[in-house]
């Protein structure tokens, strides 16, 4: 099946710093990628839809100025958590849509810990 | 209308037992998806259902799309240790979109 990678797999940062997380589709082109957030022992919550070549669309309650998304190519989307705070500590998971089989594949996730 | 109610929240079973979990909603959907998430990993699609009444198997897993289009169940037969994980149901937020909403998850623990 199609493979989606994320980098880094985990990151620890100080409060107030910014962190960039990459999501790559390794063997297919993805015009659409999605970013989810998962707090401990909770479900995945959709944060935003990343569209190649255009602005991301954000779900209600997600601050677009805090969670910057860039989808500069058909295989890469990045999520930047700006001025991170401890409450932003979470597991961030991306998914990529393969239009061929019209199937969504998930990355392995990035665990962010903000001290 | 968008919330999915998944039950049970957790299960503790003996190896070899069968498992059943379900998902319900107050709204009608065209797709039900079942995912498994291992610790520290992203979810992996197990089964996708597209028609009311559809019954689909994937090895020891069987899932059905309820006739009312408001529910779905997932069964695992003869559980083995590698079945441990969290199982999520999910559905698209709307027609023509792949934005997904997930159930709360069922955490499966297996005693050898």
């Amino acid at each position: 099946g199609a493979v989606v990678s994320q980098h880094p797999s985990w990151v620890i940062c100080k409060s107030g710093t910014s962190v960039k997380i990459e999501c790559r589709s390794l063997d297919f082109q993805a015009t659409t990628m999605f970013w989810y957030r998962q707090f401990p022992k909770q479900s995945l919550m959709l944060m935003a839809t990343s569209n190649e070549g255009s602005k991301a669309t954000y779900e209600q309650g997600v601050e677009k100025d805090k969670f910057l998304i860039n989808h500069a190519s058909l295989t890469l989307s990045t999520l930047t958590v700006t001025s991170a705070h401890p409450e932003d500590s979470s597991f961030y998971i991306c998914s990529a849509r393969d239009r061929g089989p019209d199937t969504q594949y998930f990355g392995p996730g990035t665990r962010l810990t903000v001290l | 209308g968008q919330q999915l109610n998944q039950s049970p929240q957790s299960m503790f079973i003996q190896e070899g037992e069968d498992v059943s979990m379900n998902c319900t909603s107050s709204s009608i959907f065209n797709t039900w998806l079942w995912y498994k998430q291992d610790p520290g990993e992203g979810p992996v699609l197990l089964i996708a259902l597209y028609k009311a009444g559809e019954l689909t198997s994937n090895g020891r897993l069987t899932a059905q799309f309820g006739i009312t289009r408001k529910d779905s169940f997932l069964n695992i037969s003869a559980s083995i240790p590698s079945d441990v994980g969290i199982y999520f149901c999910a559905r698209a937020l709307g027609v023509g979109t792949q934005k997904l909403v997930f159930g709360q998850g069922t955490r499966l623990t297996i005693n050898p």
Side-chain angles (χ1 to χ4, degrees), chain B residues 12-69:
Chain B
F12 298 85
I13 64 169
Q14 296 294 124
E15 183 178 350
E17 288 185 17
D18 296 343
V19 172
S20 184
M21 62 192 77
N22 69 81
C23 222
T24 62
S25 174
S26 57
S27 301
I28 292 174
F29 303 125
N30 294 321
T31 305
W32 279 102
L33 306 171
W34 284 95
Y35 288 87
K36 183 192 178 201
Q37 184 179 30
D38 290 327
E41 298 289 332
V44 174
L45 181 65
L46 300 174
I47 293 178
L49 302 164
Y50 300 104
K51 290 193 307 185
E54 180 180 355
L55 183 70
T56 298
S57 294
N58 178 5
R60 292 177 296 105
L61 278 62
T62 302
Q64 183 158 29
F65 195 146
I67 285 291
T68 64
R69 293 166 62 191

Short mmCIF file of all heavy atoms in Angstrom, two decimals, chain B residues 12-69:
data_model
loop_
_atom_site.label_atom_id
_atom_site.label_comp_id
_atom_site.label_asym_id
_atom_site.label_seq_id
_atom_site.Cartn_x
_atom_site.Cartn_y
_atom_site.Cartn_z
N PHE B 12 -11.25 -6.19 27.84
CA PHE B 12 -10.16 -7.02 28.34
C PHE B 12 -10.59 -8.46 28.12
O PHE B 12 -11.56 -8.92 28.72
CB PHE B 12 -9.93 -6.76 29.83
CG PHE B 12 -9.52 -5.35 30.13
CD1 PHE B 12 -10.46 -4.35 30.29
CD2 PHE B 12 -8.18 -5.02 30.24
CE1 PHE B 12 -10.08 -3.05 30.56
CE2 PHE B 12 -7.78 -3.72 30.51
CZ PHE B 12 -8.73 -2.73 30.66
N ILE B 13 -9.90 -9.16 27.24
CA ILE B 13 -10.33 -10.52 26.88
C ILE B 13 -9.16 -11.48 26.95
O ILE B 13 -8.00 -11.07 27.07
CB ILE B 13 -10.92 -10.53 25.46
CG1 ILE B 13 -9.85 -10.16 24.44
CG2 ILE B 13 -12.12 -9.62 25.35
CD1 ILE B 13 -10.27 -10.42 23.02
N GLN B 14 -9.50 -12.75 26.86
CA GLN B 14 -8.49 -13.79 26.81
C GLN B 14 -8.15 -14.09 25.34
O GLN B 14 -9.02 -13.99 24.45
CB GLN B 14 -9.00 -15.07 27.46
CG GLN B 14 -9.29 -14.95 28.95
CD GLN B 14 -8.01 -14.71 29.74
OE1 GLN B 14 -7.89 -13.73 30.47
NE2 GLN B 14 -7.04 -15.62 29.59
N GLU B 15 -6.92 -14.44 25.10
CA GLU B 15 -6.50 -14.83 23.75
C GLU B 15 -7.41 -15.95 23.25
O GLU B 15 -7.75 -16.88 23.99
CB GLU B 15 -5.06 -15.30 23.77
CG GLU B 15 -4.51 -15.65 22.40
CD GLU B 15 -3.05 -16.07 22.46
OE1 GLU B 15 -2.42 -15.92 23.52
OE2 GLU B 15 -2.53 -16.55 21.43
N GLY B 16 -7.84 -15.82 22.02
CA GLY B 16 -8.70 -16.84 21.42
C GLY B 16 -10.17 -16.47 21.43
O GLY B 16 -10.97 -17.06 20.70
N GLU B 17 -10.53 -15.50 22.26
CA GLU B 17 -11.93 -15.08 22.32
C GLU B 17 -12.29 -14.22 21.11
O GLU B 17 -11.44 -13.64 20.46
CB GLU B 17 -12.19 -14.27 23.60
CG GLU B 17 -12.20 -15.09 24.87
CD GLU B 17 -12.58 -14.23 26.07
OE1 GLU B 17 -13.13 -13.14 25.89
OE2 GLU B 17 -12.32 -14.67 27.20
N ASP B 18 -13.59 -14.18 20.83
CA ASP B 18 -14.09 -13.30 19.79
C ASP B 18 -14.40 -11.92 20.39
O ASP B 18 -14.69 -11.80 21.58
CB ASP B 18 -15.35 -13.87 19.16
CG ASP B 18 -15.10 -15.19 18.45
OD1 ASP B 18 -13.92 -15.50 18.15
OD2 ASP B 18 -16.08 -15.92 18.21
N VAL B 19 -14.32 -10.91 19.55
CA VAL B 19 -14.51 -9.52 19.98
C VAL B 19 -15.57 -8.88 19.11
O VAL B 19 -15.63 -9.13 17.89
CB VAL B 19 -13.20 -8.73 19.83
CG1 VAL B 19 -13.42 -7.25 20.09
CG2 VAL B 19 -12.13 -9.29 20.76
N SER B 20 -16.40 -8.06 19.71
CA SER B 20 -17.38 -7.31 18.94
C SER B 20 -17.47 -5.88 19.46
O SER B 20 -17.54 -5.66 20.66
CB SER B 20 -18.76 -7.97 19.03
OG SER B 20 -19.68 -7.29 18.19
N MET B 21 -17.45 -4.93 18.56
CA MET B 21 -17.58 -3.53 18.92
C MET B 21 -18.47 -2.85 17.89
O MET B 21 -18.61 -3.35 16.77
CB MET B 21 -16.21 -2.85 19.00
CG MET B 21 -15.45 -2.84 17.69
SD MET B 21 -13.72 -2.36 17.90
CE MET B 21 -13.00 -3.86 18.59
N ASN B 22 -19.10 -1.74 18.28
CA ASN B 22 -19.98 -1.10 17.32
C ASN B 22 -19.93 0.42 17.41
O ASN B 22 -19.39 0.98 18.37
CB ASN B 22 -21.42 -1.60 17.51
CG ASN B 22 -22.01 -1.11 18.81
OD1 ASN B 22 -22.48 0.01 18.93
ND2 ASN B 22 -21.96 -1.96 19.81
N CYS B 23 -20.51 1.00 16.42
CA CYS B 23 -20.50 2.45 16.27
C CYS B 23 -21.90 2.87 15.83
O CYS B 23 -22.48 2.25 14.93
CB CYS B 23 -19.49 2.84 15.21
SG CYS B 23 -18.51 4.27 15.62
N THR B 24 -22.42 3.93 16.44
CA THR B 24 -23.72 4.42 16.04
C THR B 24 -23.68 5.94 15.89
O THR B 24 -22.81 6.62 16.43
CB THR B 24 -24.81 4.07 17.08
OG1 THR B 24 -24.48 4.70 18.33
CG2 THR B 24 -24.92 2.57 17.28
N SER B 25 -24.66 6.43 15.14
CA SER B 25 -24.79 7.86 14.96
C SER B 25 -26.25 8.20 14.74
O SER B 25 -27.04 7.36 14.35
CB SER B 25 -23.97 8.32 13.76
OG SER B 25 -24.20 9.70 13.51
N SER B 26 -26.60 9.45 14.98
CA SER B 26 -27.97 9.89 14.76
C SER B 26 -28.19 10.26 13.29
O SER B 26 -29.33 10.45 12.86
CB SER B 26 -28.31 11.09 15.65
OG SER B 26 -27.39 12.15 15.41
N SER B 27 -27.12 10.36 12.53
CA SER B 27 -27.22 10.74 11.12
C SER B 27 -26.99 9.54 10.20
O SER B 27 -26.35 8.57 10.59
CB SER B 27 -26.22 11.83 10.78
OG SER B 27 -26.42 12.96 11.58
N ILE B 28 -27.47 9.66 8.99
CA ILE B 28 -27.26 8.63 7.96
C ILE B 28 -25.96 8.90 7.22
O ILE B 28 -25.69 10.05 6.88
CB ILE B 28 -28.45 8.62 6.98
CG1 ILE B 28 -29.71 8.13 7.70
CG2 ILE B 28 -28.16 7.76 5.77
CD1 ILE B 28 -30.96 8.22 6.84
N PHE B 29 -25.19 7.86 6.98
CA PHE B 29 -23.93 8.02 6.27
C PHE B 29 -23.86 7.09 5.07
O PHE B 29 -24.57 6.09 5.00
CB PHE B 29 -22.74 7.71 7.20
CG PHE B 29 -22.72 8.56 8.42
CD1 PHE B 29 -22.67 7.99 9.67
CD2 PHE B 29 -22.77 9.93 8.32
CE1 PHE B 29 -22.68 8.77 10.81
CE2 PHE B 29 -22.77 10.73 9.45
CZ PHE B 29 -22.73 10.14 10.70
N ASN B 30 -22.96 7.42 4.16
CA ASN B 30 -22.75 6.60 2.98
C ASN B 30 -21.53 5.71 3.10
O ASN B 30 -21.31 4.85 2.24
CB ASN B 30 -22.59 7.49 1.75
CG ASN B 30 -23.86 8.24 1.42
OD1 ASN B 30 -24.96 7.71 1.54
ND2 ASN B 30 -23.72 9.50 1.04
N THR B 31 -20.71 5.96 4.10
CA THR B 31 -19.46 5.22 4.26
C THR B 31 -19.19 4.98 5.74
O THR B 31 -19.41 5.86 6.56
CB THR B 31 -18.27 6.02 3.68
OG1 THR B 31 -18.54 6.35 2.32
CG2 THR B 31 -16.98 5.21 3.75
N TRP B 32 -18.74 3.78 6.05
CA TRP B 32 -18.21 3.50 7.38
C TRP B 32 -16.80 2.96 7.18
O TRP B 32 -16.56 2.11 6.32
CB TRP B 32 -19.04 2.45 8.11
CG TRP B 32 -20.29 2.96 8.77
CD1 TRP B 32 -21.57 2.83 8.31
CD2 TRP B 32 -20.39 3.66 10.01
NE1 TRP B 32 -22.44 3.42 9.17
CE2 TRP B 32 -21.77 3.94 10.23
CE3 TRP B 32 -19.46 4.10 10.95
CZ2 TRP B 32 -22.23 4.62 11.35
CZ3 TRP B 32 -19.92 4.77 12.08
CH2 TRP B 32 -21.28 5.02 12.27
N LEU B 33 -15.90 3.45 8.00
CA LEU B 33 -14.51 2.99 7.94
C LEU B 33 -14.12 2.48 9.33
O LEU B 33 -14.53 3.04 10.35
CB LEU B 33 -13.57 4.13 7.54
CG LEU B 33 -13.92 4.86 6.24
CD1 LEU B 33 -13.04 6.10 6.08
CD2 LEU B 33 -13.73 3.93 5.04
N TRP B 34 -13.33 1.42 9.35
CA TRP B 34 -12.79 0.91 10.60
C TRP B 34 -11.27 0.93 10.52
O TRP B 34 -10.67 0.42 9.57
CB TRP B 34 -13.29 -0.51 10.86
CG TRP B 34 -14.71 -0.55 11.34
CD1 TRP B 34 -15.83 -0.74 10.58
CD2 TRP B 34 -15.17 -0.39 12.68
NE1 TRP B 34 -16.95 -0.69 11.37
CE2 TRP B 34 -16.58 -0.47 12.66
CE3 TRP B 34 -14.53 -0.16 13.91
CZ2 TRP B 34 -17.36 -0.36 13.82
CZ3 TRP B 34 -15.30 -0.03 15.06
CH2 TRP B 34 -16.69 -0.13 15.00
N TYR B 35 -10.65 1.54 11.55
CA TYR B 35 -9.20 1.67 11.62
C TYR B 35 -8.69 1.00 12.89
O TYR B 35 -9.40 0.90 13.89
CB TYR B 35 -8.77 3.14 11.67
CG TYR B 35 -8.92 3.90 10.38
CD1 TYR B 35 -10.12 4.51 10.05
CD2 TYR B 35 -7.86 4.01 9.50
CE1 TYR B 35 -10.26 5.23 8.87
CE2 TYR B 35 -7.98 4.73 8.31
CZ TYR B 35 -9.19 5.33 8.02
OH TYR B 35 -9.32 6.03 6.85
N LYS B 36 -7.41 0.61 12.85
CA LYS B 36 -6.71 0.16 14.05
C LYS B 36 -5.49 1.04 14.25
O LYS B 36 -4.77 1.35 13.28
CB LYS B 36 -6.27 -1.29 13.93
CG LYS B 36 -5.59 -1.80 15.21
CD LYS B 36 -4.91 -3.14 14.99
CE LYS B 36 -4.21 -3.57 16.29
NZ LYS B 36 -3.15 -4.55 16.07
N GLN B 37 -5.27 1.43 15.50
CA GLN B 37 -4.10 2.24 15.84
C GLN B 37 -3.27 1.52 16.89
O GLN B 37 -3.76 1.22 17.98
CB GLN B 37 -4.52 3.62 16.35
CG GLN B 37 -3.34 4.54 16.62
CD GLN B 37 -3.76 5.91 17.11
OE1 GLN B 37 -4.79 6.06 17.77
NE2 GLN B 37 -2.98 6.94 16.79
N ASP B 38 -2.03 1.25 16.55
CA ASP B 38 -1.09 0.68 17.52
C ASP B 38 -0.47 1.83 18.31
O ASP B 38 -0.42 2.97 17.83
CB ASP B 38 0.00 -0.12 16.82
CG ASP B 38 -0.55 -1.41 16.22
OD1 ASP B 38 -1.49 -1.99 16.81
OD2 ASP B 38 -0.04 -1.84 15.18
N PRO B 39 0.05 1.56 19.50
CA PRO B 39 0.63 2.63 20.33
C PRO B 39 1.72 3.40 19.59
O PRO B 39 2.62 2.80 19.00
CB PRO B 39 1.20 1.86 21.52
CG PRO B 39 0.39 0.62 21.61
CD PRO B 39 0.06 0.25 20.19
N GLY B 40 1.59 4.73 19.60
CA GLY B 40 2.61 5.56 18.99
C GLY B 40 2.64 5.54 17.48
O GLY B 40 3.62 5.98 16.87
N GLU B 41 1.56 5.05 16.87
CA GLU B 41 1.50 4.97 15.42
C GLU B 41 0.25 5.66 14.90
O GLU B 41 -0.66 5.98 15.66
CB GLU B 41 1.48 3.50 14.96
CG GLU B 41 2.71 2.69 15.35
CD GLU B 41 3.93 3.10 14.55
OE1 GLU B 41 3.76 3.57 13.40
OE2 GLU B 41 5.06 2.96 15.08
N GLY B 42 0.22 5.87 13.57
CA GLY B 42 -0.99 6.38 12.97
C GLY B 42 -1.99 5.25 12.71
O GLY B 42 -1.62 4.08 12.74
N PRO B 43 -3.24 5.58 12.49
CA PRO B 43 -4.24 4.54 12.23
C PRO B 43 -4.05 3.88 10.87
O PRO B 43 -3.60 4.51 9.92
CB PRO B 43 -5.57 5.30 12.30
CG PRO B 43 -5.22 6.71 12.04
CD PRO B 43 -3.83 6.92 12.51
N VAL B 44 -4.43 2.62 10.82
CA VAL B 44 -4.35 1.84 9.58
C VAL B 44 -5.74 1.36 9.23
O VAL B 44 -6.45 0.82 10.09
CB VAL B 44 -3.40 0.64 9.74
CG1 VAL B 44 -3.43 -0.24 8.50
CG2 VAL B 44 -1.97 1.12 10.02
N LEU B 45 -6.13 1.55 7.99
CA LEU B 45 -7.46 1.14 7.56
C LEU B 45 -7.59 -0.38 7.55
O LEU B 45 -6.77 -1.09 6.97
CB LEU B 45 -7.76 1.69 6.17
CG LEU B 45 -9.14 1.37 5.58
CD1 LEU B 45 -10.23 2.04 6.41
CD2 LEU B 45 -9.23 1.82 4.13
N LEU B 46 -8.65 -0.87 8.20
CA LEU B 46 -8.93 -2.30 8.24
C LEU B 46 -9.98 -2.67 7.20
O LEU B 46 -9.79 -3.60 6.41
CB LEU B 46 -9.43 -2.70 9.63
CG LEU B 46 -8.50 -2.45 10.80
CD1 LEU B 46 -9.21 -2.78 12.11
CD2 LEU B 46 -7.23 -3.29 10.66
N ILE B 47 -11.11 -1.99 7.27
CA ILE B 47 -12.24 -2.31 6.40
C ILE B 47 -12.98 -1.03 6.06
O ILE B 47 -13.16 -0.17 6.92
CB ILE B 47 -13.20 -3.31 7.09
CG1 ILE B 47 -12.53 -4.68 7.28
CG2 ILE B 47 -14.48 -3.48 6.28
CD1 ILE B 47 -13.40 -5.70 8.00
N ALA B 48 -13.42 -0.94 4.81
CA ALA B 48 -14.26 0.18 4.37
C ALA B 48 -15.59 -0.38 3.88
O ALA B 48 -15.62 -1.38 3.16
CB ALA B 48 -13.57 0.95 3.24
N LEU B 49 -16.68 0.26 4.27
CA LEU B 49 -18.02 -0.16 3.91
C LEU B 49 -18.72 0.97 3.19
O LEU B 49 -18.69 2.11 3.65
CB LEU B 49 -18.81 -0.54 5.17
CG LEU B 49 -18.18 -1.64 6.03
CD1 LEU B 49 -18.81 -1.64 7.42
CD2 LEU B 49 -18.36 -3.00 5.38
N TYR B 50 -19.40 0.63 2.08
CA TYR B 50 -19.97 1.68 1.24
C TYR B 50 -21.47 1.53 0.98
O TYR B 50 -22.08 2.45 0.42
CB TYR B 50 -19.25 1.72 -0.11
CG TYR B 50 -17.77 2.02 0.02
CD1 TYR B 50 -16.83 1.00 -0.13
CD2 TYR B 50 -17.32 3.30 0.31
CE1 TYR B 50 -15.47 1.25 0.00
CE2 TYR B 50 -15.96 3.56 0.43
CZ TYR B 50 -15.04 2.54 0.28
OH TYR B 50 -13.71 2.79 0.40
N LYS B 51 -22.06 0.38 1.35
CA LYS B 51 -23.48 0.17 1.08
C LYS B 51 -24.18 -0.36 2.30
O LYS B 51 -23.66 -1.22 3.02
CB LYS B 51 -23.67 -0.83 -0.05
CG LYS B 51 -23.26 -0.31 -1.42
CD LYS B 51 -23.77 -1.21 -2.54
CE LYS B 51 -23.40 -2.65 -2.35
NZ LYS B 51 -23.80 -3.47 -3.52
N ALA B 52 -25.40 0.12 2.52
CA ALA B 52 -26.20 -0.37 3.63
C ALA B 52 -26.37 -1.88 3.51
O ALA B 52 -26.67 -2.40 2.43
CB ALA B 52 -27.57 0.32 3.64
N GLY B 53 -26.16 -2.56 4.63
CA GLY B 53 -26.28 -4.01 4.64
C GLY B 53 -25.01 -4.74 4.25
O GLY B 53 -24.90 -5.96 4.43
N GLU B 54 -24.04 -4.02 3.74
CA GLU B 54 -22.80 -4.65 3.27
C GLU B 54 -22.07 -5.34 4.41
O GLU B 54 -21.94 -4.78 5.50
CB GLU B 54 -21.89 -3.59 2.64
CG GLU B 54 -20.56 -4.11 2.10
CD GLU B 54 -19.72 -2.99 1.49
OE1 GLU B 54 -20.21 -1.85 1.40
OE2 GLU B 54 -18.57 -3.28 1.12
N LEU B 55 -21.62 -6.55 4.16
CA LEU B 55 -20.84 -7.33 5.12
C LEU B 55 -19.52 -7.65 4.47
O LEU B 55 -19.48 -8.27 3.41
CB LEU B 55 -21.58 -8.62 5.49
CG LEU B 55 -20.93 -9.52 6.55
CD1 LEU B 55 -21.00 -8.86 7.92
CD2 LEU B 55 -21.62 -10.88 6.58
N THR B 56 -18.43 -7.20 5.08
CA THR B 56 -17.11 -7.36 4.47
C THR B 56 -16.14 -7.99 5.46
O THR B 56 -16.15 -7.63 6.64
CB THR B 56 -16.57 -6.00 4.01
OG1 THR B 56 -17.44 -5.47 3.01
CG2 THR B 56 -15.18 -6.13 3.41
N SER B 57 -15.32 -8.89 4.97
CA SER B 57 -14.32 -9.54 5.82
C SER B 57 -12.91 -9.22 5.37
O SER B 57 -12.67 -9.00 4.18
CB SER B 57 -14.52 -11.06 5.80
OG SER B 57 -15.75 -11.42 6.40
N ASN B 58 -12.01 -9.22 6.34
CA ASN B 58 -10.59 -9.04 6.09
C ASN B 58 -9.87 -9.97 7.05
O ASN B 58 -9.58 -9.61 8.19
CB ASN B 58 -10.20 -7.58 6.32
CG ASN B 58 -8.71 -7.34 6.12
OD1 ASN B 58 -7.97 -8.24 5.71
ND2 ASN B 58 -8.26 -6.14 6.41
N GLY B 59 -9.63 -11.19 6.61
CA GLY B 59 -9.04 -12.18 7.50
C GLY B 59 -10.00 -12.53 8.61
O GLY B 59 -11.14 -12.93 8.37
N ARG B 60 -9.55 -12.36 9.86
CA ARG B 60 -10.40 -12.68 11.01
C ARG B 60 -11.34 -11.52 11.37
O ARG B 60 -12.11 -11.62 12.32
CB ARG B 60 -9.51 -13.01 12.21
CG ARG B 60 -8.72 -14.31 12.06
CD ARG B 60 -7.79 -14.56 13.24
NE ARG B 60 -6.75 -13.53 13.33
CZ ARG B 60 -6.76 -12.56 14.22
NH1 ARG B 60 -7.73 -12.47 15.14
NH2 ARG B 60 -5.80 -11.66 14.23
N LEU B 61 -11.28 -10.45 10.62
CA LEU B 61 -12.12 -9.30 10.89
C LEU B 61 -13.33 -9.30 9.96
O LEU B 61 -13.22 -9.61 8.77
CB LEU B 61 -11.34 -8.00 10.66
CG LEU B 61 -10.43 -7.50 11.77
CD1 LEU B 61 -9.32 -8.48 12.09
CD2 LEU B 61 -9.86 -6.15 11.41
N THR B 62 -14.47 -8.95 10.53
CA THR B 62 -15.70 -8.82 9.75
C THR B 62 -16.40 -7.55 10.20
O THR B 62 -16.52 -7.29 11.39
CB THR B 62 -16.64 -10.02 9.97
OG1 THR B 62 -15.97 -11.22 9.62
CG2 THR B 62 -17.89 -9.88 9.10
N ALA B 63 -16.86 -6.77 9.24
CA ALA B 63 -17.58 -5.54 9.57
C ALA B 63 -18.84 -5.47 8.74
O ALA B 63 -18.90 -5.98 7.62
CB ALA B 63 -16.70 -4.32 9.31
N GLN B 64 -19.86 -4.86 9.29
CA GLN B 64 -21.12 -4.70 8.57
C GLN B 64 -21.61 -3.26 8.66
O GLN B 64 -21.50 -2.61 9.70
CB GLN B 64 -22.20 -5.64 9.11
CG GLN B 64 -23.52 -5.54 8.33
CD GLN B 64 -24.39 -6.76 8.46
OE1 GLN B 64 -24.35 -7.45 9.47
NE2 GLN B 64 -25.18 -7.04 7.44
N PHE B 65 -22.18 -2.80 7.58
CA PHE B 65 -22.81 -1.50 7.46
C PHE B 65 -24.28 -1.71 7.76
O PHE B 65 -24.98 -2.45 7.06
CB PHE B 65 -22.64 -1.02 6.01
CG PHE B 65 -22.91 0.43 5.77
CD1 PHE B 65 -22.17 1.11 4.82
CD2 PHE B 65 -23.91 1.11 6.43
CE1 PHE B 65 -22.42 2.44 4.54
CE2 PHE B 65 -24.16 2.44 6.17
CZ PHE B 65 -23.41 3.11 5.21
N GLY B 66 -24.78 -1.10 8.82
CA GLY B 66 -26.15 -1.34 9.24
C GLY B 66 -27.18 -0.93 8.19
O GLY B 66 -26.97 0.00 7.42
N ILE B 67 -28.30 -1.64 8.19
CA ILE B 67 -29.38 -1.39 7.22
C ILE B 67 -29.92 0.03 7.34
O ILE B 67 -30.29 0.65 6.34
CB ILE B 67 -30.52 -2.40 7.44
CG1 ILE B 67 -30.11 -3.76 6.89
CG2 ILE B 67 -31.81 -1.95 6.75
CD1 ILE B 67 -30.00 -3.81 5.38
N THR B 68 -29.95 0.55 8.54
CA THR B 68 -30.47 1.91 8.74
C THR B 68 -29.46 2.98 8.32
O THR B 68 -29.78 4.16 8.30
CB THR B 68 -30.82 2.14 10.22
OG1 THR B 68 -29.62 2.05 11.00
CG2 THR B 68 -31.83 1.12 10.71
N ARG B 69 -28.24 2.57 8.02
CA ARG B 69 -27.13 3.45 7.65
C ARG B 69 -26.69 4.35 8.80
O ARG B 69 -26.01 5.35 8.59
CB ARG B 69 -27.48 4.29 6.42
CG ARG B 69 -27.64 3.45 5.17
CD ARG B 69 -28.31 4.22 4.04
NE ARG B 69 -27.53 5.36 3.62
CZ ARG B 69 -27.97 6.30 2.80
NH1 ARG B 69 -29.20 6.23 2.34
NH2 ARG B 69 -27.20 7.30 2.46
#
